[in-house]
């Protein structure tokens, strides 16, 4: 179906009032689930996601074990009530693809060699969606992995950039995603500028692509600081409690 053109920019601002290089508000809470080894609630504008990490634990079935390292499993799931039109429950092509790319986005930072023959399970549940759920899920999962005490080289941060009415903008919302000309989700280790996921939907010129990547890198650095602060706040609290 061909998308109709609609006006997504008015007087130099986007329809939700943001500038071109502005992120939606972010809220991060660590340790929200008591049964998980690590968990994180992540809000990105109207997206609300929860990540839960279990493990390292023995891998079943055993033929999926890797004798040399842990195996990372990642399941992205969108709740039926998370979108306007009820989503049919259960996995579909989209969620299988998102689970795969998200796992690959996090895999390079996890020191898997410490836990041979085990599985580390990452579950991401989308409770409310407004475009950018895979990026919110990766941000949440990264924090939840750290909260679970999984040895990692660094955190991974993620954001999408896109193109609306010919302009490259940061962090598309659902209307912009639906009616815009392009969407490019990126995940990276912000401190080293190492890209661990890059997808593209639509068309970007080389110049637009480079500009988008720069916007994403700057935003990932901001998200990284928020992730780090959320972890520090959570764990300085528990150290404080222990001292009492
Ligand atoms: N969406 C929806 N129903 C679906 C899948 C997606 O309404 O079955 C909406 C939802 O708001 C989602 C957005 O479309 O966040 C963009 O989806 P996309 O596949 O681009 O992934 P995302 O941007 O969430 O990572």
């Amino acid at each position: 179906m061909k998308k109709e053109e609609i006006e997504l920019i008015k007087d130099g601002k986007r329809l939700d009032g943001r500038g071109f290089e502005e992120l939606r508000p972010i809220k991060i809470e660590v340790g929200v689930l008591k049964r998980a080894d690590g968990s994180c609630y992540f809000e990105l504008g109207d997206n609300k996601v929860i990540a839960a990490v279990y493990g390292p634990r023995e891998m079943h079935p055993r033929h999926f074990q890797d004798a040399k390292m842990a195996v990372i499993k990642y399941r992205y799931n969108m709740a039926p009530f998370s979108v306007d039109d009820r989503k049919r429950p259960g996995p579909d092509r989209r969620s299988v693809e998102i689970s795969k790319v998200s796992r690959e986005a996090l895999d390079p930072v996890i020191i898997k060699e410490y836990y041979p023959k085990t599985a580390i399970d990452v579950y991401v549940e989308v409770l409310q969606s407004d475009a950018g759920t895979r990026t919110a899920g990766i941000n949440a999962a990264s924090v939840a992995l750290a909260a679970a005490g999984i040895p990692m080289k660094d955190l991974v941060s993620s954001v999408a950039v896109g193109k609306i009415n010919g302009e490259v903008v940061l962090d598309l919302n659902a209307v912009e995603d639906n009616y815009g000309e392009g969407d490019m989700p990126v995940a990276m280790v912000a401190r080293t500028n190492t890209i661990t996921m890059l997808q593209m939907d639509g068309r970007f010129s080389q110049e637009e692509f480079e500009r988008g990547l720069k916007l994403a890198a700057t935003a990932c650095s901001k998200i990284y600081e928020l992730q780090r602060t959320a972890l520090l706040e959570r764990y300085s609290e528990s150290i404080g409690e222990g001292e009492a």
Side-chain angles (χ1 to χ4, degrees):
M1 193 171 64
K2 195 174 182 319
K3 288 182 201 162
E4 52 180 310
E5 275 271 318
I6 69 163
E7 200 181 10
L8 294 166
I9 297 173
K10 255 188 194 151
D11 305 325
K13 293 266 179 211
R14 296 152 75 176
L15 296 185
D16 60 7
R18 279 185 294 156
F20 296 173
E21 304 186 3
E22 211 175 312
L23 273 169
R24 287 173 285 181
I26 289 176
K27 191 175 142 193
I28 309 177
E29 208 176 316
V30 185
V32 288
L33 301 173
K34 106 177 167 190
R35 293 193 181 82
D37 294 311
S39 61
C40 174
Y41 170 74
F42 195 97
E43 249 180 51
L44 172 69
D46 285 335
N47 293 295
K48 298 183 179 191
V49 310
I50 282 194
V53 169
Y54 297 82
R57 58 187 179 183
E58 199 180 341
M59 165 69 104
H60 286 291
R62 291 174 81 169
H63 64 266
F64 283 134
Q65 284 182 356
D66 186 324
K68 295 213 169 86
M69 60 185 86
V71 173
I72 314 296
K73 296 197 279 175
Y74 191 111
R75 195 196 71 172
Y76 165 101
N77 182 54
M78 211 175 208
F81 53 79
S82 68
V83 285
D84 281 334
D85 298 323
R86 178 182 178 275
K87 190 210 157 275
R88 198 163 168 233
D92 51 25
R93 254 176 62 156
R94 175 178 172 274
S95 67
V96 170
E97 175 221 313
I98 293 179
S99 299
K100 177 184 185 289
V101 295
S102 304
R103 176 176 50 76
E104 289 170 355
L106 292 163
D107 197 276
V109 298
I110 301 170
I111 308 175
K112 295 175 293 181
E113 293 74 14
Y114 285 1
Y115 301 104
K117 297 187 182 176
T118 66
I120 297 171
D121 288 284
V122 183
Y123 296 93
V124 167
E125 295 291 327
V126 178
L127 308 175
Q128 186 170 289
S129 83
D130 191 51
T133 57
R134 79 194 63 201
T135 68
I138 291 168
N139 291 328
S142 178
V143 171
L145 282 162
I150 306 293
M152 293 157 82
K153 295 175 198 151
D154 214 328
L155 291 170
V156 174
S157 309
S158 180
V159 76
V161 288
K163 204 164 97 177
I164 55 168
N165 297 163
E167 299 283 349
V168 177
V169 300
L170 182 67
D171 186 21
L172 297 183
N173 64 26
V175 181
E176 294 173 331
D177 186 68
N178 278 338
Y179 295 99
E181 301 104 78
D183 182 21
M184 185 168 96
V186 178
M188 56 170 64
V189 178
R191 281 204 293 194
T192 54
N193 246 326
T194 310
I195 296 169
T196 60
M197 178 189 81
L198 199 155
Q199 297 188 280
M200 190 189 282
D201 184 16
R203 280 172 176 272
F204 289 77
S205 68
Q206 186 173 340
E207 195 201 329
E208 286 164 348
F209 169 74
E210 284 167 8
R211 201 175 125 56
L213 208 50
K214 241 185 218 163
L215 277 185
T218 310
C220 281
S221 297
K222 285 184 193 155
I223 295 168
Y224 170 76
E225 284 308 325
L226 297 173
Q227 290 171 305
R228 204 170 154 263
T229 306
L231 281 163
L232 283 172
E233 271 171 9
R234 174 69 177 84
Y235 291 105
S236 52
E237 254 172 45
S238 32
I239 292 166
E241 281 160 19
E243 279 169 355

